[in-house]
């Protein structure tokens, strides 16, 4: 599974060698020194991404036969070369911006990520990816545990969730991560004007600062109010952010714009959550021209704008984007022009310090029940890389945390070394 | 007994809170009589839609925001509060999102599928919300059958394209995982068998696509039904057809295509009477009606599950058992639930009044609070309890309170006139009219300190014009008021 770039030919662009890799202690030291300035942006594709349509083994003999209406024609896939097993891969045709980032060596694909006995349930699946605990996917998320272990005092803006609801990944025991969908409306309003607003806000701050005895549920709501009131001022600075590029007017791109604004405004936030939905494509998936193409367009345009904005702001080297989804989808398409819930999927990592390329091997799509890259009667992709080993890499080598402690187990063995 | 905390608790949970007039009226009878009236809502006039008016023309059967506004109106104004409360419960149980449906069939048909009343529907059908209101308290098994045939559900979970040659797993998975027995009670093979069971449960359009009076309806497409036997890991048949647990009892037999719709009816009946469904409904009813702070005892779950099973899946006796339970009526259950955004908004509208606040103004704040009606985030529905509260959603709640109170400030100032000889008197005046969970002395003193800020207290009308709305905003926006 260990990636070797020599197997890779990136369409016309000369590959640079990463045969060299720094001794482990050196990168650890660098990590520890730089850790407090490093940003992590988790991008969740909600619904179960059909990653086979995102990173396509377009020459696989069974691709077109198992995907008679959904296959991307070989001529339209954006060719990016071969993986270490020699499988020729192409990106979805809407991923033109990501292909450029890939060519710059700043985008890593990690193929066939997942876990044993993959859950086909959205909720259990996303809880497993959130907690990094397939056996008991409850309690705080893996980044929540990371935040819980951060040195006190905890800044309520250490993390920023751009969705309205706090994802389990960011749920922590000790800290409440703010959810800020739109920084420009993140303000305290009053039925009164002028000086009375300040009096009301002062009272609201006082009321929410009490810790009522024996009423933990009330304390919880107070904590949400308190964190909101404590972060208003810094967040309003982000609302005034002037990006260097134009972000599309959709929730995903606007969330990334807010993330870039938070980084550029140096408000102290390091962990960000961004999500985009619509990936539960049971019907009418229309890979090339319809639903799935729109999903890829939103993903590509948002991430590309974000990447360019960060580069212009000089923030690219301090930023790692990590994309996941709760599962991949079934290989054979269903009768509704869609795909049902499957197993392993593809993760992406993007950033100025990412060692770009393709990690892991693509599935062979042969329906032979003995096909070792598939499972469930050769209808689902079998995992090759444990997703926790990807998290471990991020925690150890990007966040400067202790992966074994946070993940309650050592998943470092075989971690793809993309960062 | 208008000030009776038990009555207020019952109306917060079995309804959306109460105005002073409603408390007076319900307070004339015993608590048991109020439970009767809530459950037997068929005896109460169904006049809420006739009273629905807005300043401008609306079309709740074709424009989704109008449908949202009408539903909110019903929550605030219905004389059958438990019917609306159960409709909300079922919307949370069978979450179906407008945006996907509108993407498939267009906005007017999607709204019709979700919200049209029988009177508004060109074919005499009814939207999903009307289904939930109609089946608010009757039999859960019948409700499941209706949901399986519901046009909105057939688009939402792709049943409309479930065919013999290419079975569609989406509805099959969710009816087991989310609507009935729950995760861990079935295996993947059950999902595939269930998909085959519902092959041919499709949708058709009646009338030409460009005719505004055309509509979609369920139809059983026998030619697309898989007639082979379907085997499950759990019993489908309890009586006849083999002993419980045998392969025969676990298998839906081969049937002629013409009668194949019975497959789905059999599977639904098996899922509805499954003990795991009974327990799961009992736990969901606990969280909805009783408490999100305490977990239900095993005894409570068994008791409610037993009522459900002994009444052959009828919800009225089941919900009555919940509302009459010792646990429901215990004072420790008061304010032991986090309000859903629509519950918070409806109760604030009832308690503050909304004569100068158009209900349409509440739609956008509800989105910011994390709950847009007819738009649950996914098939699992909204995450409840503490998940409603993040900094953004809490700020949205506080800001909704500011906006409502701001629009009502003239009424508020008028009502407060003469009620504030002292700051304490003004605060007491409000705490008799709006119903936050009890303030500890800390926040209570903070509210008094707010009233004393900015000049000596006189209680003059001029002072009350500022301080009364300010105080009410702080109460409605407080953490205490978010609990019901």
């Amino acid at each position: 599974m260990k990636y070797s770039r020599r197997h890779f030919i990136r369409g016309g662009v000369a590959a640079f060698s990463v045969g060299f890799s720094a001794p482990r202690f050196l990168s650890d030291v660098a990590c520890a020194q730089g850790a407090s300035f490093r940003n992590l942006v988790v991008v969740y594709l909600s619904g179960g991404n059909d990653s086979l349509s995102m990173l396509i083994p377009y020459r696989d003999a069974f691709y077109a036969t198992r995907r008679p209406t959904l296959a991307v024609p070989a001529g339209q896939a954006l060719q990016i070369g071969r993986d270490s097993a020699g499988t020729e891969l192409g990106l979805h045709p809407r991923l033109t911006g990501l292909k450029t980032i890939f060519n710059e060596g700043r985008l890593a694909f990690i193929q066939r990520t997942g876990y044993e006995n993959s859950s086909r349930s959205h909720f259990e699946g996303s809880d497993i990816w959130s907690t990094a605990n397939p056996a008991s996917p409850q309690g705080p998320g893996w980044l929540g545990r990371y935040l819980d272990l951060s040195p006190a005092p905890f800044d309520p803006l250490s993390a920023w969730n751009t969705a309205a609801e706090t994802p389990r990944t960011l749920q922590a025991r000790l800290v409440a991560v703010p959810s800020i969908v739109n920084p420009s409306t993140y303000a305290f309003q009053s039925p009164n004007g002028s000086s009375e607003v300040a009096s009301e806000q002062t009272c609201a701050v006082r009321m929410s600062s009490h810790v009522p005895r024996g009423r933990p549920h009330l304390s919880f709501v107070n904590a949400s109010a308190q964190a909101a009131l404590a972060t208003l001022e810094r967040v309003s600075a982000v609302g005034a952010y002037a990006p260097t590029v134009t972000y599309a007017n959709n929730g995903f791109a606007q969330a990334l714009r807010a993330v870039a604004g938070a980084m550029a405004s140096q408000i102290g936030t390091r962990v960000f959550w961004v999500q985009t939905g619509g990936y539960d494509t049971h019907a009418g998936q229309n890979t090339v021209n319809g639903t799935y193409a729109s999903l890829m367009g939103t993903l590509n345009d948002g991430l590309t704008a974000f990447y360019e904005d960060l580069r212009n702001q000089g923030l690219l080297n301090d930023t790692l984007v990590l994309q996941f989804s709760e599962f991949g989808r079934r290989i054979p398409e269903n009768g509704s022009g869609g795909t049902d819930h499957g197993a392993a999927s593809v993760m992406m990592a993007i950033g100025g310090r990412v060692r770009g390329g393709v990690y892991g091997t693509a599935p062979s799509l042969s329906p032979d029940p003995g096909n070792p890259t598939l499972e469930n009667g050769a209808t689902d992709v079998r995992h090759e890389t444990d997703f926790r080993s990807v998290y471990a890499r991020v925690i150890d080598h990007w966040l400067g945390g202790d992966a074994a402690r946070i993940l309650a187990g050592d998943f470092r063995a075989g971690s793809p070394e993309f960062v | 007994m208008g000030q009776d905390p038990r009555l207020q608790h019952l109306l917060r949970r079995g309804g959306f809170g109460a105005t002073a007039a409603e408390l007076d009226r319900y307070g004339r009878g015993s608590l048991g009589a109020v439970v009767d009236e809530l459950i037997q809502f068929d005896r109460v006039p169904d006049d809420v839609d006739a009273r629905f008016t807005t300043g401008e023309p609306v079309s709740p059967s074709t424009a989704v925001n109008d449908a949202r506004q009408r539903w909110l109106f019903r929550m605030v104004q219905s004389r059958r509060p438990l019917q609306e409360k159960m409709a909300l419960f079922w919307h949370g149980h069978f979450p179906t999102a407008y945006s996907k449906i509108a993407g498939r069939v267009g906005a007017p048909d999607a709204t019709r599928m979700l919200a049209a009343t029988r009177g508004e529907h060109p074919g005499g059908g009814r939207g999903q919300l009307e289904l939930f209101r109609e089946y608010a308290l009757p039999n859960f098994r019948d409700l499941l059958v209706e949901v399986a045939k519901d046009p909105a559900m057939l688009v939402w979970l792709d049943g409309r394209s479930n065919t013999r040659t290419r079975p569609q797993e989406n509805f099959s998975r969710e009816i087991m995982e989310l609507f009935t027995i729950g995760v861990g009670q079935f295996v993947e093979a059950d999902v595939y068998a269930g998909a085959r069971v519902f092959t041919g449960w499709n949708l058709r359009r009646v009338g030409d696509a460009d005719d505004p009076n055309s509509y979609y309806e369920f139809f059983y497409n026998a030619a697309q039904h898989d007639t082979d036997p379907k085997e499950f890991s759990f019993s489908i048949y309890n009586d006849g057809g083999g002993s419980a647990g045998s392969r025969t009892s676990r298998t839906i037999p081969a049937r002629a295509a013409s009668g194949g719709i019975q497959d789905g009816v059999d599977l639904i009946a098996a899922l509805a009477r499954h003990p795991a469904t009974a327990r799961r409904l009992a736990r969901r009813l606990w969280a909805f009606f009783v408490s999100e702070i305490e977990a239900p005892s095993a005894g409570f779950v068994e008791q409610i599950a037993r009522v459900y099973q002994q009444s052959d899946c009828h919800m009225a006796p089941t919900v009555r058992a919940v509302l009459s339970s010792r646990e429901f009526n215990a004072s420790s259950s008061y304010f032991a639930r986090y309000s859903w955004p629509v519950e918070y908004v409806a109760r604030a509208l009832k308690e503050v009044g909304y004569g100068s606040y158009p209900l349409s103004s509440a739609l956008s704040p509800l989105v910011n609070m994390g709950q847009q009606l007819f738009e649950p985030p996914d098939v699992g529905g909204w995450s409840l309890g503490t998940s409603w509260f993040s900094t953004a959603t809490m700020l949205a709640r506080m800001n909704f309170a500011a906006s409502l109170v701001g629009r009502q400030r003239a009424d508020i100032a008028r009502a407060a006139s003469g009620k504030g000889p002292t700051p304490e008197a003004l605060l007491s005046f409000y705490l008799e009219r709006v119903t936050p969970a009890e303030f500890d002395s800390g926040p209570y003193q903070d509210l008094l300190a707010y009233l004393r800020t900015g000049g000596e207290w006189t209680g003059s009308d001029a002072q009350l014009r500022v301080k009364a709305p300010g105080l009410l905003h702080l109460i409605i926006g407080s953490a205490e008021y978010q609990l019901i």
Side-chain angles (χ1 to χ4, degrees):
Chain A
M1 182 176 70
K2 188 170 186 303
Y3 160 78
S4 164
R5 185 177 295 272
R6 280 167 306 187
H7 291 286
F8 237 84
I9 308 144
R10 278 174 285 103
V13 177
F16 56 88
S17 166
V18 288
F20 163 80
S21 74
R24 192 168 185 127
F25 72 91
L26 272 186
S27 53
D28 284 339
V29 168
C31 235
Q33 287 170 340
S36 59
F37 303 102
R38 291 186 165 184
N39 305 307
L40 174 66
V41 184
V42 178
V43 171
Y44 167 45
L45 309 183
S46 155
N49 178 27
D50 183 36
S51 50
L52 202 59
S53 297
M54 182 173 84
L55 180 63
I56 310 161
Y58 61 93
R59 293 239 190 261
D60 189 291
F62 296 96
Y63 175 54
T65 55
R66 302 192 83 181
R67 290 283 178 94
T69 71
L70 295 182
V72 174
Q76 292 186 38
L78 309 177
Q79 299 177 19
I80 61 165
R82 299 168 188 269
D83 67 15
S84 60
T87 306
E88 287 178 79
L89 295 168
L91 301 184
H92 186 279
R94 281 293 276 110
L95 299 181
T96 49
L98 292 186
K99 180 163 188 283
T100 303
I101 299 173
F102 182 85
N103 288 345
E104 291 173 6
R106 293 293 166 254
L107 166 57
F109 291 99
I110 309 153
Q111 301 195 92
R112 288 208 282 143
T113 44
Y115 54 97
E116 198 66 37
N117 295 319
S118 183
S119 173
R120 270 75 172 173
S121 156
H122 291 294
F123 314 101
E124 197 178 44
S126 70
D127 281 349
I128 288 170
W129 279 83
S130 301
T131 58
N133 185 352
S136 175
Q138 283 147 16
W142 69 282
L143 285 172
R145 297 197 291 270
Y146 166 74
L147 294 169
D148 273 342
L149 291 171
S150 306
F154 180 76
D155 174 358
L157 265 182
S158 285
W160 177 326
N161 163 38
T162 66
E165 192 183 297
T166 308
R168 185 177 288 283
T169 300
L170 289 180
Q171 283 173 18
R173 287 197 197 286
L174 306 177
V175 304
V177 171
S179 300
I180 306 167
V181 180
N182 182 351
S184 54
T185 59
Y186 200 76
F188 183 86
Q189 293 167 13
S190 158
N192 290 305
S194 66
S195 65
E196 200 61 20
V197 183
S199 304
E200 286 178 40
Q201 187 166 344
T202 301
C203 182
V205 168
R206 284 191 185 144
M207 289 173 76
S208 66
S209 66
H210 296 289
V211 180
R213 287 170 71 88
R215 299 169 84 182
H217 53 295
L218 186 57
S219 299
F220 178 85
V221 182
N222 265 332
S224 301
Q226 194 181 15
L229 295 166
T231 50
L232 290 176
E233 206 170 308
R234 279 187 286 166
V235 173
S236 70
V238 177
Y241 173 61
T244 63
V245 299
T246 303
Y247 287 88
N249 189 22
N250 59 56
F252 179 63
Q254 291 300 311
L256 288 169
R257 178 189 194 273
V259 171
M263 292 177 186
S265 313
Q266 297 184 316
I267 59 170
T269 309
R270 291 185 295 131
V271 175
F272 299 88
W273 175 273
V274 178
Q275 70 183 60
T276 176
Y279 282 85
D280 195 17
T281 49
H282 283 278
Q285 182 170 315
N286 295 327
T287 313
V288 180
N289 292 316
T291 303
Y292 194 79
S294 308
L295 294 171
M296 287 294 101
T298 300
L299 183 69
N300 177 77
D301 300 352
L303 287 176
T304 305
F306 184 61
Y307 181 87
E308 288 173 8
D309 198 15
L310 292 190
R311 181 165 54 197
N312 297 341
Q313 300 277 11
L315 290 164
L316 205 52
N317 282 346
D318 302 329
T319 305
L320 173 66
V321 177
L322 184 70
Q323 169 269 316
F324 80 102
S325 188
E326 68 263 41
F327 45 65
R329 304 191 77 82
R330 192 74 39 88
I331 293 166
E333 64 184 62
N334 62 28
S336 320
T339 50
D340 294 320
H341 301 183
S345 184
V346 171
M347 296 178 79
M348 283 195 290
I350 300 172
R353 295 186 200 223
V354 165
R355 297 187 194 110
V358 176
Y359 296 75
T361 59
S364 151
L365 303 183
S366 161
D368 176 354
N371 179 344
T373 66
L374 304 184
E375 62 186 44
N376 193 19
T379 59
D380 288 335
V381 176
R382 179 168 174 73
H383 78 286
E384 174 185 52
T385 300
D386 191 309
F387 72 104
R388 291 167 293 186
S389 75
V390 178
Y391 291 175
R393 187 79 197 170
V394 171
I395 295 167
D396 284 337
H397 294 266
W398 186 255
L399 294 174
D402 177 351
R405 186 170 177 205
I406 288 165
L407 299 176
D410 190 342
F411 298 96
R412 289 162 177 144
S415 275
E417 298 177 358
F418 58 91
V419 69
Chain B
M1 63 172 225
Q3 289 298 318
D4 183 341
R6 294 175 305 168
L7 176 65
Q8 296 192 352
H9 170 65
L10 177 61
L11 293 173
R12 277 196 304 275
R13 300 292 174 77
F16 294 87
T19 63
E22 287 165 341
L23 280 176
D24 280 349
R25 190 175 68 71
Y26 284 113
R28 285 182 209 128
S30 68
L31 208 58
V34 179
V35 173
D36 283 342
E37 182 178 335
L38 291 176
I39 299 255
Q40 295 168 353
F41 58 74
D42 287 349
R43 300 176 180 182
V44 180
D46 183 14
D47 62 352
V48 67
D49 286 355
R51 290 184 280 121
F52 175 55
T53 53
T54 64
E56 37 210 82
V58 287
S59 178
S61 64
T62 56
V64 71
N65 273 332
D66 293 349
R68 292 179 173 127
Q69 196 181 331
R70 177 165 71 183
W71 195 1
L72 188 57
F73 179 85
R74 288 167 174 171
M75 293 177 192
V76 178
Q77 289 285 348
S78 177
R79 297 184 222 272
R80 301 167 150 199
L82 185 60
Q83 181 181 22
E84 301 304 333
K85 196 76 181 224
M86 284 304 296
L88 183 62
F89 176 80
W90 293 127
H91 183 45
H93 191 80
F94 299 104
T96 307
Y98 166 80
S99 55
K100 171 170 173 176
I101 300 171
R104 299 295 191 277
V105 300
D109 272 311
T111 307
R112 185 177 281 159
M113 283 182 183
L114 286 167
T117 62
R118 284 194 186 278
E120 291 163 345
H121 196 286
R126 43 119 161 82
Q128 193 186 66
L129 177 58
E130 295 307 303
L131 163 61
F132 294 154
R133 296 172 86 221
E134 206 172 297
Y135 283 83
L137 287 172
N139 193 293
F140 181 64
R141 179 182 56 243
D142 299 342
L143 171 59
L144 279 173
V145 172
E146 293 299 313
V147 164
K149 297 177 177 174
D150 173 51
M153 184 61 76
L154 285 161
V155 179
W156 170 239
L157 293 183
D158 305 306
R160 66 182 179 142
S161 54
N162 189 6
T163 59
R164 180 165 51 81
T165 47
R166 310 298 279 280
Q168 229 301 336
E169 293 166 18
N170 206 359
F171 179 72
S172 170
R173 180 182 304 279
E174 306 309 4
I175 193 175
M176 293 181 212
E177 178 179 336
L178 301 175
F179 304 162
T180 60
I181 54 183
V183 75
Q185 300 288 338
F186 62 93
V187 297
E188 280 297 298
D190 293 325
V191 174
Y192 309 154
R196 293 167 50 224
V197 161
F198 290 107
T199 47
W201 290 53
N202 298 152
L203 200 60
R204 71 177 162 206
R205 182 190 271 278
V206 179
D208 286 341
D210 50 5
D211 175 358
N213 282 322
S214 71
Y215 57 92
Y216 288 92
E217 68 175 14
F218 167 78
F219 90 117
Y220 172 65
N221 186 355
Q224 283 301 343
H225 183 69
D226 178 336
T227 57
D228 288 342
K230 293 104 184 167
E231 187 181 337
F232 290 85
S233 69
F234 48 86
S235 274
I236 303 295
Y237 303 104
N238 276 346
D239 41 356
S243 58
S246 73
R247 183 164 189 167
T248 323
S249 82
R250 290 187 281 108
T251 304
I252 292 176
R255 280 197 176 100
S258 59
I261 197 168
Q262 189 62 35
D263 286 9
V265 175
D266 289 356
L267 175 58
I268 284 172
L271 292 170
R273 71 163 169 265
H274 196 293
T277 299
R279 289 193 297 270
R280 199 155 168 272
L281 280 174
R283 281 191 293 268
R284 288 184 75 95
L285 290 169
W286 169 275
F288 191 70
F289 285 112
V290 185
S291 177
E292 290 180 318
I293 291 160
E294 300 290 333
S297 67
F300 179 90
V301 173
E302 288 312 315
Q303 177 206 338
I304 300 302
R306 195 160 50 239
V307 173
Y308 169 83
Q309 288 180 297
Q310 287 175 350
S311 66
D312 188 30
C313 312
H314 274 80
M315 295 307 298
T318 310
V319 172
R320 180 191 290 275
V322 172
L323 297 183
S324 310
S325 67
R326 183 174 47 80
E327 292 87 343
F328 176 84
N329 288 291
S331 61
S332 58
S333 294
Y334 300 172
F335 300 106
R337 204 176 137 248
Y338 301 94
S339 60
W340 297 17
V342 289
E343 293 177 313
Y344 165 67
V345 166
R347 173 162 153 251
L349 293 168
K350 273 175 171 282
E351 294 187 349
V352 174
Y354 63 99
S356 307
Y357 183 87
L359 289 185
S360 55
S361 307
L363 299 183
S364 165
L366 278 166
V367 174
N368 296 333
M369 293 178 214
Q371 186 171 41
Q372 187 172 32
L373 294 169
F374 302 116
E375 201 63 66
D378 53 43
V379 280
W382 292 284
S383 302
L384 311 179
T386 53
S387 300
W388 288 121
F389 294 92
S390 66
T391 56
T393 57
M394 187 64 202
L395 200 59
R397 288 182 184 230
M398 292 192 273
N399 287 343
F400 161 75
S403 164
L404 172 64
V405 168
R407 296 278 190 102
Q408 293 294 112
R409 53 181 302 156
D411 285 357
I412 290 166
R414 210 165 20 250
S417 176
K419 300 298 192 301
T422 62
E424 288 82 357
L426 188 70
L427 183 50
S428 299
F429 171 75
Y430 280 119
L431 293 182
E432 282 167 17
R433 277 156 187 78
V434 295
T435 57
E438 192 182 352
F439 286 117
D440 287 342
S441 68
Y444 185 87
Q445 294 299 332
D446 294 336
L447 288 168
L448 292 178
Y450 161 71
L451 293 176
R452 293 195 182 99
T453 306
E456 196 175 339
W457 184 261
T458 62
S460 68
D461 285 359
Q463 195 174 39
L464 288 172
R465 267 197 295 278
V466 173
K467 289 295 185 183
L471 179 64
L472 197 48
H473 168 221
L474 288 165
I475 295 173
I476 304 290
S478 68
E480 285 78 357
Y481 196 83
Q482 310 311 316
L483 302 168
I484 60 170

